[in-house]
Amino acid sequence: APTFIAPTPAAGSTVTFFASNANSLVVAGQSGNARVNVTIQPASTPVGAVWTSTRGSTSSSTMSWTPTPSQIGDYIITVTLYDANGVYYTRGQYSFVLVVAQDPSTTSAFAATTTSSAYSTTTSAFNSATTSALNSATTSALNSATTSALNSATTSALNSATTSALNSATTSSFHSSTASHHASTTGHHTTTVALRSTTHAATTTVQTAPTTSTLNPATTT
């Protein structure tokens, strides 16, 4: 009876293919009679996989496959073996497990890219937060300084204006008071002069009266 020979994967064993890579495996069988050819017949084939066979008393079949990342997973590969006389492999179908995995180099590159991206994102977030904090602090400091300067300038201007207004009002009031005092003094002086004039006139009248009486003709007779 025909039988499987190396390099056929052992029944029930696991073979690993990597996604996005060109992979292949070989299944081989032979007949117990050198004059009888054998045939290897795949019973299950993943989508995209291709079998290439050779026939003879010792035959082989090569499965070539470049699985996509979406095809990552486990597959059961089953084959049958029979000779030209219609005699089959005594144990019936022959199966092993094919595992499609992510290429380690790709995973490493992906991890590096992810790490780099995460680092870049973290750095960007840190820079953004730092810039925002600095801007906020700078703005606050500028606002504080500006407010302080404005308050100082406003206070100084108000003090100056108030002092000027007070000085002007005080000076004006002083001048007005002085003028009033001067007017009062002038009035007093004028009153004094008038009183003196009146007194002098009265004195003159009193002194003149006796002389007129002495010269009266009636009194002489």
Side-chain angles (χ1 to χ4, degrees), residues 116-144:
S116 177
S117 178
Y119 175 77
S120 178
T121 300
T122 302
T123 302
S124 177
F126 175 77
N127 289 340
S128 178
T130 303
T131 301
S132 177
L134 287 174
N135 287 341
S136 178
T138 302
T139 301
S140 177
L142 287 174
N143 288 341
S144 177

Side-chain angles (χ1 to χ4, degrees), residues 105-168:
S105 62
T106 304
T107 303
S108 177
F110 176 76
T113 301
T114 302
T115 301
S116 177
S117 178
Y119 175 77
S120 178
T121 300
T122 302
T123 302
S124 177
F126 175 77
N127 289 340
S128 178
T130 303
T131 301
S132 177
L134 287 174
N135 287 341
S136 178
T138 302
T139 301
S140 177
L142 287 174
N143 288 341
S144 177
T146 302
T147 301
S148 177
L150 287 173
N151 287 342
S152 177
T154 302
T155 301
S156 177
L158 287 174
N159 288 342
S160 177
T162 302
T163 302
S164 177
L166 287 174
N167 288 341
S168 178

Side-chain angles (χ1 to χ4, degrees), residues 19 29 43 76 114 137 158 161 166 173 182 186:
I76 302 299
T114 302
L158 287 174
L166 287 174
S173 176
H182 180 70
T186 302

Side-chain angles (χ1 to χ4, degrees), residues 57-90:
S57 58
T58 299
S59 298
S60 66
S61 187
T62 302
M63 188 184 83
S64 301
W65 187 28
T66 303
T68 65
S70 64
Q71 291 178 302
I72 290 175
D74 297 347
Y75 299 84
I76 302 299
I77 304 300
T78 302
V79 294
T80 60
L81 176 65
Y82 58 90
D83 65 18
N85 296 323
V87 179
Y88 282 78
Y89 171 64
T90 55

